[in-house]
Amino acid sequence: MTDMLRAPAEVKYAEELDWLESIDDAPKPFSWRLSPRMIRLFVLGSERADGLDREISPKWFGDRSFVERSIVTLASDRGLLLIGDPGTGKSWLAELLAAAISRNSTLVVQGTAGTTEDHIKYSWNVSMVIAKGQSRASLIPSPIMTAMEKGVIGRFEELTRSTSDVQDALISILSEKYVSIPELDDDNIVFAQPGFSIIATANSRDRGVNDLSSALKRRFNFVRIPVVTNKKSEAEIVRFRTTELLRRHRIELDVPPNLLDILLQSFADLRAAAASATSDDDKLESALSTAEQIGVLEDAILHSTFFGDRSLRAETLAGSLVGSLARRSPEDLAILNKYWHGVVEPRSKEDGGEWPAFLEGGRQAIATLS
């Protein structure tokens, strides 16, 4: 197999999935490759109490109840809608669930303003239609239709980003479990096979963009994924994802624990400031999510590797944080400048350590962008 920039979960964790499948003797719904308990174990990782002969690494860090409810929903007749703020791991959880259930997480529709009903149902190979007419051979099934035919999980990312008429095309699929092809006289219905379901994701910040109809809402079970606020859990997520990124880039560089603490504390401070802000102008445009923390750290690591001395420094981390979060000028720069003077500067005097270097690096970055 050739190298991939980003392997899907079923490829990346193929060895674990094969092993879990080989020892799994529990009942499995429909055509699922793993039982619900094994799926939960694959997503959340093993514990000593599980009594396994090998360790299964945790891949998603969150409350067990969210994973369990998601699995139960997919075993029912309803679709699963994972909803939450940007960067809370909704898409990653959807990919892991699809990989564990179907060993295929790539049947994905990306919701945008340009998504059409064809992306959900089917389209036509124009050259074949001209040459031989409309037939099943000239039909191009959507990822959702392919999932129906194979009895596996289909995914719909950013559901509320697509228009209402496109969303409504899902209603018959989720309720009737078939797609009609009126252009054909024969073989003109595609029925969903047992095991088919849809995992959709939606950002809670997109509320009001294209709200779901009440009819479509009834076809989904909602699982709300909250923002991670526990520092220990967030640190585990950042370490896990950063380790993966380093491995992907083939970079050997240690992230000092004290710099990770500074990054986590900075985001916690900025979130608190955003929560107490009285207007949108006083809030950073960034969602300040865990995913954005990972992006800041990755940026700093790559900068240190390519343009530094291959060691992560507080000044570089501060510059990456400012550069990543200062999206609006002058609003975001003013908010960051206020944070640097009102929080980072006093903390550097009181706590010392890497904070003074972090203070100076941030000041320089803000001055450069101002």
Side-chain angles (χ1 to χ4, degrees):
M1 182 179 294
T2 59
D3 289 340
M4 288 178 273
L5 182 61
R6 182 191 177 280
E10 62 271 18
V11 174
K12 185 174 185 177
Y13 300 110
E15 186 183 353
E16 277 191 4
L17 288 167
D18 287 341
W19 186 80
L20 288 171
E21 196 170 340
S22 71
I23 65 166
D24 190 4
D25 57 1
K28 305 174 185 66
F30 312 117
S31 57
W32 287 20
R33 299 289 294 270
L34 291 175
S35 65
R37 287 184 180 274
M38 284 296 184
I39 294 168
R40 183 187 66 184
L41 193 148
F42 169 71
V43 173
L44 296 175
S46 60
E47 300 175 354
R48 185 174 297 179
D50 294 315
L52 299 180
D53 293 334
R54 62 173 287 178
E55 180 182 2
I56 301 298
S57 61
K59 302 162 192 69
W60 189 81
F61 299 85
D63 194 285
R64 172 177 291 196
S65 63
F66 301 140
V67 177
E68 291 178 349
R69 185 156 190 264
S70 297
I71 296 169
V72 168
T73 294
L74 293 171
S76 72
D77 286 337
R78 289 174 175 245
L80 170 65
L81 180 61
L82 301 174
I83 187 167
D85 283 352
T88 48
K90 304 181 297 297
S91 297
W92 180 231
L93 177 57
E95 181 177 339
L96 290 170
L97 290 170
I101 291 171
S102 307
R103 294 299 286 265
N104 187 351
S105 65
T106 61
L107 298 172
V108 185
V109 174
Q110 182 65 50
T112 67
T115 303
T116 67
E117 191 172 329
D118 292 352
H119 294 116
I120 298 175
K121 292 184 174 180
Y122 59 88
S123 56
W124 297 97
N125 183 321
V126 177
S127 61
M128 287 186 67
V129 170
I130 293 173
K132 299 181 180 180
Q134 290 177 322
S135 66
R136 284 300 294 269
S138 59
L139 183 143
I140 303 173
S142 71
I144 299 298
M145 181 181 278
T146 300
M148 294 175 69
E149 291 181 302
K150 293 184 176 181
V152 296
I153 301 296
R155 295 167 54 204
F156 199 123
E157 289 291 312
E158 309 286 1
L159 179 59
T160 49
R161 285 285 175 184
S162 56
T163 57
S164 299
D165 57 328
V166 173
Q167 294 176 16
D168 287 345
L170 283 176
I171 293 176
S172 62
I173 292 175
L174 287 169
S175 57
E176 306 301 332
K177 301 293 192 294
Y178 67 79
V179 171
S180 297
I181 310 171
E183 295 91 340
L184 300 181
D185 294 328
D186 301 310
D187 195 16
N188 58 0
I189 298 180
V190 173
F191 292 96
Q193 298 302 303
F196 165 72
S197 191
I198 293 176
I199 306 176
T201 65
N203 283 329
S204 51
R205 291 196 175 201
D206 287 343
R207 188 174 299 162
V209 176
N210 290 299
D211 287 334
L212 302 183
S213 67
S214 58
L216 187 54
K217 286 179 180 178
R218 289 197 300 271
R219 270 73 178 182
F220 280 109
N221 268 353
F222 286 56
V223 174
R224 296 188 177 275
I225 309 297
V227 174
V228 179
T229 55
N230 181 280
K231 266 192 176 182
K232 182 179 178 182
S233 298
E234 193 162 43
E236 288 177 339
I237 296 171
V238 174
R239 286 194 195 96
F240 173 74
R241 298 299 289 174
T242 303
T243 300
E244 286 192 327
L245 291 167
L246 289 171
R247 190 181 300 119
R248 185 191 306 170
H249 291 294
R250 298 176 182 175
I251 292 174
E252 294 184 8
L253 186 149
D254 292 328
V255 178
N258 53 350
L259 290 186
L260 181 57
D261 289 341
I262 287 177
L263 178 64
L264 293 168
Q265 185 61 56
S266 298
F267 267 73
D269 293 338
L270 290 167
R271 286 171 186 159
S276 61
T278 55
S279 70
D280 288 341
D281 287 340
D282 296 327
K283 298 179 182 178
L284 289 169
E285 188 177 70
S286 164
L288 297 171
S289 65
T290 304
E292 285 174 307
Q293 285 191 66
I294 295 166
V296 169
L297 189 55
E298 181 187 20
D299 181 82
I301 288 171
L302 292 174
H303 195 280
S304 300
T305 301
F306 299 142
F307 302 109
D309 59 0
R310 292 185 169 272
S311 60
L312 183 61
R313 300 187 182 280
E315 300 95 319
T316 307
L317 183 64
S320 294
L321 190 148
V322 171
S324 297
L325 301 186
R327 299 174 183 176
R328 299 174 302 172
S329 181
E331 294 91 346
D332 285 350
L333 282 173
I335 294 168
L336 289 168
N337 190 50
K338 181 180 178 182
Y339 168 67
W340 241 261
H341 283 287
V343 179
V344 178
E345 186 173 345
R347 190 168 281 146
S348 68
K349 293 177 181 177
E350 295 171 8
D351 299 345
E354 296 285 356
W355 281 102
F358 186 75
L359 171 67
E360 185 57 31
R363 278 176 173 171
Q364 291 179 7
I366 292 171
T368 301
L369 293 173
S370 298

